[in-house]
Amino acid sequence: MIYDGAAPHDADAARTGGVPLAPEGAGWPACADCGGPMQFFAHLPVEDVVLSVFLCRNDPGACESWDAASGANRVFLFPRTGLVPMAVPREGVTLLPVVSAVRTEAVPFPPAEDGGDGGDGDPYDLARSGWKQQPGERFGKQREVLGSLGGAPSYLEDERVPECPGCSGAMEFAAHLEEGFDHRYAMNLGGDLGYVFVCRPCGTGAFLTG
Ligand SMILES: [Zn+2]
Ligand SMILES: [Zn+2]
């Protein structure tokens, strides 16, 4: 996922920031820890669902938004149609200051020119470094990568893969999320990488950082 400039706040396309789109009547998620409204992070259409990612940033560091089981973050799986902008709570840290459009690009892994077989190493790291080697630069390559869809979680211990609260199975990895293009656009993840997991049969999602 690559930064692609500004986006409308209610775009039904991959973005970070802006206003979440949800089924009519859906309530804004509250943090189980502090009780405040969560901050909306990302709108990610994937196949037949929209992943809608929130985490609590009312008092960064106080609520354990890095932990999938803390209740201080939420990932919703919404249907692709019938979504409307959610009503934004008046209090609390709810929206990112700037909306970032996200485009997806398949990145070839670096060729095995160094004698390696090209298949070793962390796939997300390889994709990121492959992207940086591509010609052309619109915004500065360093921060353009906003994450990835699919693949395998980068450097995440197996025991951190969340268990689905519905069926108790291991959840499926869905996306990496970087903090953002620059500080004005960024979600505060404490310098870490965000991981989105889903259980499609149960329609549940989870978020953690590491
Ligand atoms: Zn909280
Ligand atoms: Zn499940």
Side-chain angles (χ1 to χ4, degrees):
M1 292 194 284
I2 306 297
Y3 174 72
D4 200 27
H9 73 282
D10 58 354
D12 186 15
R15 57 181 159 91
T16 62
V19 174
L21 303 181
E24 189 112 42
W28 195 280
C31 172
D33 205 342
C34 71
M38 294 186 191
Q39 188 173 26
F40 176 62
F41 188 6
H43 175 92
L44 301 173
V46 180
E47 297 166 20
D48 59 340
V49 296
V50 171
L51 307 178
S52 189
V53 183
F54 293 77
L55 49 154
C56 180
R57 297 281 78 189
N58 289 300
D59 185 5
C63 300
E64 299 182 337
S65 56
W66 59 88
D67 178 355
S70 64
N73 58 52
R74 282 294 287 277
V75 176
F76 296 100
L77 275 64
F78 292 140
R80 287 299 305 275
T81 55
L83 303 182
V84 295
M86 286 178 102
V88 182
R90 288 170 184 220
E91 309 278 327
V93 179
T94 53
L95 301 178
L96 288 172
V98 183
V99 191
S100 304
V102 176
R103 76 174 193 276
T104 54
E105 188 143 336
V107 180
F109 284 170
E113 59 198 12
D114 55 0
D117 63 9
D120 290 341
D122 179 76
Y124 182 60
D125 263 358
L126 290 170
R128 259 196 308 210
S129 48
W131 167 251
K132 283 175 191 159
Q133 288 164 19
Q134 297 213 24
E137 182 151 337
R138 256 180 91 195
F139 301 105
K141 288 258 160 166
Q142 196 58 37
R143 302 297 297 271
E144 276 185 355
V145 177
L146 298 183
S148 76
L149 292 175
S154 179
Y155 299 110
L156 191 75
E157 302 85 13
D158 287 346
E159 61 265 26
R160 291 206 67 205
V161 171
E163 191 178 272
C164 172
C167 66
S168 301
M171 297 182 92
E172 176 195 345
F173 177 71
H176 292 109
L177 283 169
E178 301 276 356
E179 291 194 317
F181 177 63
D182 76 16
H183 69 279
R184 290 173 302 145
Y185 301 69
M187 173 60 83
N188 176 359
L189 299 179
D192 283 334
L193 184 59
Y195 300 82
V196 178
F197 287 85
V198 296
C199 180
R200 284 182 167 270
C202 297
T204 56
F207 179 86
L208 56 93
T209 71

